[in-house]
Amino acid sequence: MKRLLTLAAGLLVSLPSFAHEGHHHGLSDGLLHPLTGLDHLIALSLIGLLASQSGKLKLSLAQSLFALVLAAVVANMGFVPPMLETGLAISLLVMAVLVAKVLPRSAGIASLVVCLVAALHGAAHGNEVPASADLKLFFAGFISSSVALICGGYFIGKQLQRSQYGEKFTRAIAGVAGAFGLSALIA
């Protein structure tokens, strides 16, 4: 429980806008980018939690990484979706609803949402890479961190499924994620 509280405290201290500063020059910056923005950290962890509920980690990883990388490359070439920050906030709300199982969901809809969420966050990553950055190193770093966050969410979800209060904790996590998304949407 102490580890979970330490992790939660670390998440709360992370500044959501820090990941959108635009100071990315190599591998270490790529590794840190998904970890320094609470919105990225939450979205990727929720993808892992959702994968733990369906038991399809490999499929979720493949879909997420494809959408994430494709959107990052396209955004880095200059095409950035309009109202990206609003889309990022909404993506957290939608993922929170799916993870909390508030509404009935199909595997197809969950897969589509995962791809859209990953694409939005990939576009944010790709948009923030300066022209002087070593793209190969930056993308290698952010892909590695993204995989780690998705896998982390998956393994947390699996541990929660074994717990007597796992469903309540999962809903609480989804509630906090949704609250963060709502506050980002309002701000």
Side-chain angles (χ1 to χ4, degrees):
M1 187 62 158
K2 284 185 181 181
R3 288 182 184 165
L4 185 59
L5 290 175
T6 303
L7 176 63
L11 293 176
L12 292 174
V13 177
S14 175
L15 297 174
S17 61
F18 185 66
H20 304 280
E21 294 283 323
H23 304 290
H24 312 289
H25 302 327
L27 182 64
S28 63
D29 293 320
L31 284 167
L32 290 173
H33 187 81
L35 304 173
T36 56
L38 196 52
D39 55 341
H40 297 311
L41 201 144
I42 291 172
L44 294 170
S45 298
L46 287 178
I47 288 172
L49 265 172
L50 191 61
S52 75
Q53 292 173 345
S54 69
K56 297 181 180 180
L57 177 61
K58 290 178 185 176
L59 179 62
S60 290
L61 272 173
Q63 291 171 328
S64 300
L65 291 178
F66 177 76
L68 187 78
V69 171
L70 180 63
V73 169
V74 169
N76 189 257
M77 293 187 316
F79 176 76
V80 180
M83 299 175 54
L84 181 59
E85 293 296 325
T86 301
L88 293 172
I90 291 170
S91 75
L92 294 178
L93 287 169
V94 172
M95 284 299 296
V97 168
L98 285 175
V99 169
K101 299 179 185 176
V102 174
L103 300 171
R105 66 173 191 236
S106 71
I109 289 175
S111 291
L112 178 63
V113 169
V114 164
C115 287
L116 290 173
V117 169
L120 284 170
H121 288 269
H125 289 297
N127 183 44
E128 296 156 356
V129 181
S132 64
D134 182 334
L135 291 178
K136 290 178 187 173
L137 289 176
F138 178 81
F139 284 128
F142 102 79
I143 290 168
S144 298
S145 283
S146 297
V147 168
L149 287 171
I150 292 168
C151 289
Y154 178 84
F155 292 116
I156 288 171
K158 285 300 183 186
Q159 291 300 317
L160 288 173
Q161 289 172 7
R162 295 183 187 119
S163 168
Q164 177 182 356
Y165 301 106
E167 189 170 329
K168 289 181 183 182
F169 278 125
T170 301
R171 284 184 176 229
I173 291 168
V176 169
F180 180 80
L182 186 59
S183 70
L185 189 59
I186 293 171

